[in-house]
Amino acid sequence: MLSSSTSRRSFSLRALLAAGLVAVPFAAFSADATRIGILIPGSKSDKGWMESGYDGLVAAQKKHGDKIKVQMIENINYADMEQALTNLASKNQLVIGVGGQTQAALLKVSKRFPKTKFSIVGGSKGDELPNVAGYDVKQAEIAFVAGATAAMLSKTGAVSYVGGMEIPSIVNAGKEFGKGAAYINPKIKYVENYTGNFDDVAKSKEATLAAIAQGADVHYHILNLGLRGMEQAAKEKGTHIIGSYTDRCGSDPLYIAYSITGVGYQVEYAIDEAVAGTWKAGYKPFGLAMGSKASDMSACGATPAMKAKIDEIKKDIQSGKIKVLEG
């Protein structure tokens, strides 16, 4: 999920591992500190999933101080994930993979380190191992709410979605975004595209421009650095974006709403549980049922009527009146 070359990424990882990984430059730690290893496969400054995960790590460090010692690997490609996770697992008590794309490698490595705890942020139901916890952010759930919000904000009656890899959780989120938009406006035009890469700026821009050419004026995404391409297209054509993961209303007029998917909240949750000695293996769904830190929708400058409608939809999803896909 990186935009740099494979050779550069591989060299950087080899250098990292040869040095015994790079500790996150936080406060000194106590001798009995809980050792935390975290893999952030993308950029921690992507304004998306990875940055939200990193924000959760920073929040946990501020909370726990010298009670934890953190080591982090950032910005690697898929071929290096197993090697990175192996090194983290050999040095830490808890290893966190930020993103469902870490799941396959993490499950494989966890079998070799039965005494190490592993948490997957964005984990889906699957193989259950005694030392692995999977935290499901329920992206499809909040994507339905985002679609409804987009339909209420659209002036053209057309909205779009750009996803990165075409994997079940990302595809399901796209389907639910379209369903949410149609829930508000049955005649709405919905344009859905996948780039095959969360970080490809050029492809994301191309997909967004294609949607704009079909009338879309509000765009949603599950991208990392690829979001830059969507931003470029929206700025050029005067359209708007619903951001993801963190509420940043007021920081950029390009963004008219944000869905909160609690990536950072789950990173912090895993660390809190490890420090408290209450960490548990198994699948754990988050989403709307876990409160606004885990999942929410913020429409910047929403009218009272719009806010009430969003709240109604969230309640209907939680009650089961509105049924959404997994993921």
Side-chain angles (χ1 to χ4, degrees):
M1 285 177 48
L2 299 178
S3 55
S4 57
S5 69
T6 300
S7 59
R8 183 179 301 170
R9 288 176 293 195
S10 298
F11 174 79
S12 297
L13 182 61
R14 286 198 299 272
L16 249 175
L17 300 180
L21 304 180
V22 175
V24 179
F26 293 128
F29 51 90
S30 63
D32 60 348
T34 301
R35 299 186 306 279
I36 310 292
I38 184 165
L39 174 60
I40 297 179
S43 168
K44 67 179 186 291
S45 57
D46 66 355
K47 294 173 71 174
W49 180 285
M50 302 299 162
E51 186 168 339
S52 177
Y54 182 71
D55 288 347
L57 174 62
V58 172
Q61 179 61 50
K62 288 180 179 177
K63 181 190 299 183
H64 297 294
D66 65 0
K67 293 181 180 178
I68 63 173
K69 177 187 177 183
V70 177
Q71 291 183 307
M72 180 181 76
I73 296 178
E74 176 202 8
N75 260 345
I76 67 165
N77 61 20
Y78 294 100
D80 291 326
M81 280 189 191
E82 187 176 337
Q83 184 184 8
L85 287 164
T86 297
N87 277 269
L88 287 171
S90 69
K91 296 176 173 69
N92 296 285
Q93 295 160 285
L94 171 68
V95 175
I96 303 170
V98 181
Q101 65 268 44
T102 69
Q103 183 160 326
L106 188 147
L107 289 173
K108 188 174 181 180
V109 172
S110 68
K111 295 174 183 177
R112 303 204 301 267
F113 294 88
K115 294 183 179 180
T116 302
K117 299 176 177 67
F118 295 82
S119 291
I120 309 166
V121 176
S124 58
K125 287 182 179 179
D127 297 337
E128 291 192 11
L129 299 174
N131 61 334
V132 178
Y135 305 146
D136 187 349
V137 300
K138 308 291 282 185
Q139 288 185 105
E141 189 179 79
I142 200 62
F144 185 99
V145 187
T149 304
M152 287 187 274
L153 292 169
S154 176
K155 295 179 180 178
T156 63
V159 299
S160 75
Y161 168 82
V162 178
M165 292 184 68
E166 203 166 348
I167 56 179
S169 61
I170 308 304
V171 172
N172 286 353
K175 289 179 179 178
E176 291 302 335
F177 180 79
K179 285 167 59 180
Y183 184 82
I184 295 296
N185 177 7
K187 295 182 179 180
I188 199 149
K189 185 173 184 178
Y190 172 50
V191 184
E192 182 178 337
N193 283 296
Y194 297 89
T195 64
N197 187 307
F198 292 104
D199 295 314
D200 194 314
V201 174
K203 286 184 179 179
S204 298
K205 181 177 182 179
E206 181 183 351
T208 305
L209 287 173
I212 292 171
Q214 296 182 64
D217 66 341
V218 179
H219 319 293
Y220 189 57
H221 72 92
I222 295 184
L223 298 166
N224 294 332
L225 285 176
L227 176 59
R228 302 291 187 272
M230 179 174 281
E231 289 178 332
Q232 292 169 12
K235 284 178 182 177
E236 288 177 12
K237 300 298 183 180
T239 58
H240 292 91
I241 300 171
I242 294 180
S244 297
Y245 313 118
T246 303
D247 182 358
R248 303 182 192 278
C249 275
S251 64
D252 186 341
L254 193 65
Y255 289 83
I256 54 176
Y258 290 89
S259 68
I260 293 95
T261 43
V263 176
Y265 175 74
Q266 290 177 56
V267 169
E268 192 173 353
Y269 177 90
I271 295 172
D272 288 349
E273 294 286 290
V275 172
T278 56
W279 182 95
K280 293 180 180 178
Y283 170 80
K284 184 176 181 62
F286 280 72
L288 292 168
M290 287 289 285
S292 59
K293 288 185 178 180
S295 185
D296 203 1
M297 191 71 218
S298 177
C300 311
T303 64
M306 185 184 297
K307 193 169 183 179
K309 189 64 178 178
I310 291 170
D311 288 343
E312 176 190 306
I313 290 170
K314 289 191 299 181
K315 288 178 182 177
D316 286 347
I317 290 173
Q318 290 185 73
S319 71
K321 184 177 179 180
I322 295 175
K323 299 186 182 299
V324 298
L325 296 167
E326 292 291 330

